[in-house]
Amino acid sequence: MAKIFKQNDCNQCKKRIEVFKVLREQDWKLIEETRYEVLYHAGETIFKQGTSFTHSVCILEGLVKVYIESENRKKFILSMMRPGDMIGSPGMFIDNRHYFSAVAVEDTLACHVERRVIEEVIKSNNLFAVEMLKRAHMRDVNNFQKFESLTQKQMPGRVAEVILYLFRAVYKSNPLILTITRQDIADMASITKEGTIRVLKDFKDAGLITLNGNELKILNEKALESISDVG
């Protein structure tokens, strides 16, 4: 069960959350008044697709998967959020709804900032508004690239792309000590779990990776890049 508390102060996030670097003292004071922290255990839902968007969530510790879910409950993971990332919603100025779900992959400490406070700061701080636009545009670009990958790449290309993403953007180490499941990898590549396991075995047999339990080591990064590029 998630625990709610308030142990840090906003000064600790001035360096952690990139978009917050342009905030003024009055902005910080406004945020500090109503924010709170929640410790989520691995597997707990931070918010659900379709629910009301009441707070932006800043990740302080841990790892979070952000995904969309279809009517048949099939999931597609859009991204993995790390410490320093902020999760908002494209519904902020539309209908105040979440258009994706967020679930803790690891035990995660998150700071919740009221949506109305973020809106007030956007309206009064032009630099912050520009930074938020940059974040939204970057999210759009990343999503466009993902959808392009889904339409043009075969299973090996998709899985290779996911491995490189986990290496370069999420775990940032080699070997990777995976805290996500094979199903999560499948949901990132938008293929079946069985197909993912088969491709990982093919990569292992070809000497591109080693895979022992939750430890994945990249042996031939250039070959994985080539497979990802060719698709």
Side-chain angles (χ1 to χ4, degrees), residues 16-230:
R16 285 171 130 178
I17 312 294
E18 186 69 26
V19 70
F20 283 172
K21 291 183 178 180
V22 297
L23 294 184
R24 307 159 301 184
E25 285 304 315
Q26 59 263 42
D27 300 330
W28 284 113
K29 183 177 180 181
L30 190 61
I31 290 172
E32 181 70 42
E33 287 176 354
T34 59
R35 72 168 191 88
Y36 59 89
E37 296 162 34
V38 179
L39 176 62
Y40 295 93
H41 296 300
E44 290 187 319
T45 298
I46 297 174
F47 57 77
K48 174 75 173 174
Q49 177 179 324
T51 58
S52 297
F53 172 41
T54 59
H55 292 77
S56 289
V57 180
C58 302
I59 307 303
L60 305 181
E61 300 173 9
L63 187 65
V64 174
K65 61 181 177 182
V66 171
Y67 63 89
I68 53 178
E69 188 173 0
S70 63
E71 291 184 1
N72 62 2
R73 302 187 72 179
K74 185 176 181 180
K75 297 176 182 177
F76 174 52
I77 295 178
L78 295 168
S79 61
M80 308 297 292
M81 310 299 281
R82 302 177 68 253
D85 289 332
M86 183 171 72
I87 312 174
S89 173
M92 175 180 281
F93 292 105
I94 301 174
D95 57 5
N96 292 322
R97 295 288 177 182
H98 284 297
Y99 281 81
F100 45 74
S101 298
V103 172
V105 173
E106 304 170 0
D107 287 353
T108 296
L109 180 63
C111 182
H112 292 244
V113 181
E114 283 193 8
R115 186 208 74 241
R116 66 167 185 83
V117 171
I118 296 294
E119 288 182 358
E120 287 182 34
V121 177
I122 287 174
K123 292 174 182 177
S124 65
N125 186 331
N126 292 335
L127 291 177
F128 184 65
V130 170
E131 291 301 318
M132 291 293 284
L133 278 173
K134 287 180 181 178
R135 287 183 69 258
H137 291 167
M138 183 58 69
R139 180 187 62 218
D140 290 343
V141 168
N142 290 337
N143 288 340
F144 290 152
Q145 291 174 340
K146 285 182 179 295
F147 295 140
E148 180 184 18
S149 173
L150 293 179
T151 59
Q152 297 185 8
K153 293 184 180 182
Q154 301 300 315
M155 288 195 301
R158 296 185 193 184
V159 175
E161 181 179 307
V162 170
I163 292 173
L164 293 172
Y165 168 71
L166 293 173
F167 167 50
R168 295 168 177 171
V170 180
Y171 295 105
K172 299 183 179 181
S173 66
N174 192 23
L176 293 70
I177 307 301
L178 299 174
T179 52
I180 63 173
T181 66
R182 301 295 190 270
Q183 184 63 60
D184 288 330
I185 296 176
D187 290 342
M188 294 177 75
S190 194
I191 61 179
T192 65
K193 180 180 178 181
E194 293 74 20
T196 298
I197 292 173
R198 185 167 61 251
V199 172
L200 289 173
K201 184 179 183 302
D202 290 342
F203 286 172
K204 183 178 179 179
D205 292 343
L208 306 184
I209 65 172
T210 61
L211 190 58
N212 297 299
N214 66 339
E215 180 183 287
L216 187 155
K217 185 174 183 179
I218 297 173
L219 301 178
N220 194 331
E221 184 178 349
K222 288 186 178 180
L224 287 175
E225 284 181 349
S226 178
I227 294 171
S228 177
D229 291 340
V230 173

